[in-house]
Amino acid sequence: MDTVTDTFLREQLNERRQRLQQVLDRSTGSSHLMGLLKEVDAALERMNDGSYGLCEVCHDPIEKDRLMANPLVCYCIDHLTAAQQKALEQDLELASRVQGGLLPKSDFRCPDWDIAFFYRPAGAVSGDYCDLLNTPDGGFIFLLGDVSGKGVAASMRVAQLHATFRTLVLAGLSVAELVNRANRLFCESTLADSYATLIAGKGYPDGMIEICNAGHCPPLVVRSGQVSECQATGLPIGIFCEGEYFSNRQQLTGGDTLVLYTDGVSEARDANGREYGTGALWKVAEKQHRRPARQLIDLYLQDLAAFQSGHPLTDDLTLLVIHKA
């Protein structure tokens, strides 16, 4: 296990031990709390002898996202008991429902704009982030990102991003300052190996779009059938707490379209290992950009499915289409 993760988990275990001991010192004793304390002590002992993070049955490494979610686990998924496996499935089902509840409403509306999104996790939970919010001035905020890692740990960081941006948006910050503040908060509250690529933007009633691209796949801007890209204006958030982010503006008129996507789309592969690529995204955008947002997403999904020819999805996939009506 890498040093940063080991240090973080050791701190988490020591903090849990301290809290448990404080409760036990103030109470007459509890068999449940004593049992938890023994589990924490056993985990700390495994850290000291170098066996922490290894399955007690097969001695292979335990899934990192499970350790991050619960530092006390000592079995890999393959060697859980039937009861543990059922409990894990129930937890994942609950996590999936919670994450689904964080998505924008499917009928999100903003005057003079046609907006639609598609969100498909590769597993029970996703590391993709998508949100839409109306603003008091008649515009809207749009957010699309991809958190590092997989599984439960990544989904927890997505929930953190959701809460962070939902709170910061209330302060009425500019798009660039919104990302600057979110970067600092995300960096200071996650592990050093945690980061997220991100698009943050705002649409205005007059058709102006303001975009900040923090290391994410470049969105496609289609105007009069001509496609261009919004390249990154900063690093992914969470890498440096002192990062600085900038936004640029694009004027859209009736029929113009903005296409945002995660790398689960552009890096999707067929059975021969060929990548879908941004070129395919460009072709669909050039030909079909005047379609309503939902229809354009459906056309993208059809084109991607034809390309994959039944090859399974291996990464989370999110599309967001913003069309100026």
Side-chain angles (χ1 to χ4, degrees):
M1 188 179 303
D2 62 84
T3 303
V4 173
T5 302
D6 182 81
T7 300
F8 174 80
L9 291 173
R10 186 183 292 274
E11 290 174 352
Q12 289 290 305
L13 288 167
N14 280 319
E15 182 179 344
R16 292 187 186 198
R17 192 189 192 288
Q18 183 179 8
R19 290 181 179 178
L20 280 168
Q21 191 64 61
Q22 288 172 347
V23 174
L24 285 167
D25 289 344
R26 294 195 301 266
S27 65
T28 57
S30 162
S31 59
H32 174 65
L33 293 178
M34 289 298 297
L36 282 175
L37 185 61
K38 289 179 180 179
E39 286 188 55
V40 172
D41 285 339
L44 289 169
E45 287 180 14
R46 293 196 299 275
M47 279 193 166
N48 292 332
D49 65 24
S51 62
Y52 182 80
L54 299 179
C55 175
E56 291 188 358
V57 176
C58 66
H59 307 296
D60 286 337
I62 297 170
E63 297 80 7
K64 183 178 175 181
D65 64 318
R66 293 182 59 234
L67 281 172
M68 296 297 292
N70 179 9
L72 297 179
V73 295
C74 49
Y75 298 99
C76 65
I77 288 179
D78 291 341
H79 293 98
L80 295 176
T81 65
Q84 290 171 329
Q85 185 71 41
K86 183 177 180 180
L88 178 61
E89 290 171 357
Q90 290 174 339
D91 287 345
L92 285 173
E93 182 181 352
L94 176 59
S96 179
R97 292 205 305 269
V98 169
Q99 192 168 49
L102 299 180
L103 290 172
K105 300 298 182 184
S106 58
D107 60 350
F108 179 85
R109 295 287 183 271
C110 185
D112 300 318
W113 293 95
D114 176 24
I115 305 168
F117 72 93
F118 178 83
Y119 183 90
R120 180 195 292 165
V125 290
S126 172
D128 281 4
Y129 166 54
C130 180
D131 205 1
L132 293 162
L133 303 93
N134 291 109
T135 56
D137 60 3
F140 63 98
I141 297 290
F142 57 94
L143 298 151
L144 186 77
D146 189 357
V147 172
S148 62
K150 302 289 183 183
V152 175
S155 71
M156 291 172 67
R157 290 191 282 270
V158 168
Q160 180 184 358
L161 279 180
H162 181 275
T164 298
F165 277 105
R166 285 266 169 164
T167 302
L168 290 175
V169 163
L170 297 175
L173 304 170
S174 68
V175 170
E177 186 58 26
L178 185 65
V179 178
N180 275 304
R181 297 278 187 93
N183 171 66
R184 180 181 295 277
L185 291 169
F186 193 71
C187 184
E188 291 177 348
S189 59
T190 58
L191 292 174
D193 63 349
S194 298
Y195 62 89
T197 64
L198 177 79
I199 299 289
K202 180 174 181 179
Y204 294 85
D206 64 358
M208 182 69 72
I209 287 279
E210 186 176 3
I211 302 176
C212 177
N213 183 347
H216 194 73
C217 308
L220 305 181
V221 181
V222 193
R223 283 178 295 213
S224 302
Q226 300 298 310
V227 183
S228 61
E229 294 183 338
C230 294
Q231 297 295 335
T233 54
L235 294 171
I237 66 171
I239 294 181
F240 296 109
C241 293
E242 299 301 325
E244 189 172 6
Y245 296 89
F246 304 92
S247 63
N248 60 61
R249 296 193 170 207
Q250 305 275 349
Q251 181 66 55
L252 302 188
T253 57
D256 292 344
T257 301
L258 181 68
V259 179
L260 301 93
Y261 56 94
T262 58
D263 60 11
V265 180
S266 57
E267 296 179 5
R269 295 181 182 276
D270 65 10
N272 297 317
R274 293 178 302 172
E275 193 172 88
Y276 185 64
T278 56
L281 286 160
W282 275 57
K283 288 179 181 178
V284 175
E286 286 176 333
K287 294 179 180 179
Q288 309 290 350
H289 68 281
R290 288 189 174 275
R291 299 265 189 165
R294 178 57 58 189
Q295 286 187 21
L296 182 53
I297 284 180
D298 289 342
L299 288 169
Y300 266 121
L301 295 176
Q302 292 169 18
D303 191 64
L304 182 59
F307 170 79
Q308 290 186 291
S309 300
H311 189 65
L313 179 71
T314 58
D315 197 2
D316 307 317
L317 184 157
T318 306
L319 277 162
L320 173 61
V321 171
I322 299 170
H323 182 79
K324 185 67 177 72

